[in-house]
Amino acid sequence: MNDDIGSVRDWLTVREREVLKSVAMGLSAKEIAKTLNIAPRTVERHIDHIRLKTRTRNRSHMVAYAIENGFMDA
């Protein structure tokens, strides 16, 4: 995962970053949806887009990637 982190961060929308942080905090799609006032399916779609943009295999890998690359600090 030696991508240029700045560019990956730029690829994520503000909403995707909110969802990523919420997933990293351990919230379920349903909990995130309730917090952000969107549908759970929309949360799942955001998660799919985040995984594609970060080239991660699953939610655990996505969270590890986010923590390792400073997404939780921003």
Side-chain angles (χ1 to χ4, degrees):
M1 294 293 161
N2 291 328
D3 295 332
D4 177 16
I5 298 310
S7 64
V8 172
R9 195 172 278 152
D10 293 341
W11 295 342
L12 297 180
T13 66
V14 171
R15 182 64 87 184
E16 288 169 345
R17 282 179 265 168
E18 290 173 329
V19 169
L20 178 56
K21 286 183 180 184
S22 297
V23 169
M25 290 176 11
L27 298 178
S28 69
K30 191 173 182 178
E31 291 168 326
I32 296 168
K34 194 172 187 178
T35 301
L36 299 178
N37 199 29
I38 58 178
R41 180 65 193 121
T42 303
V43 173
E44 292 293 344
R45 188 169 295 135
H46 286 311
I47 291 169
D48 289 342
H49 290 163
I50 295 164
R51 284 190 328 93
L52 287 171
K53 291 177 180 182
T54 58
R55 297 179 183 169
T56 52
R57 293 181 294 277
N58 52 45
R59 287 183 191 208
S60 297
H61 187 205
M62 185 176 73
V63 169
Y65 179 92
I67 292 169
E68 180 179 310
N69 291 292
F71 279 80
M72 303 312 295
D73 301 333

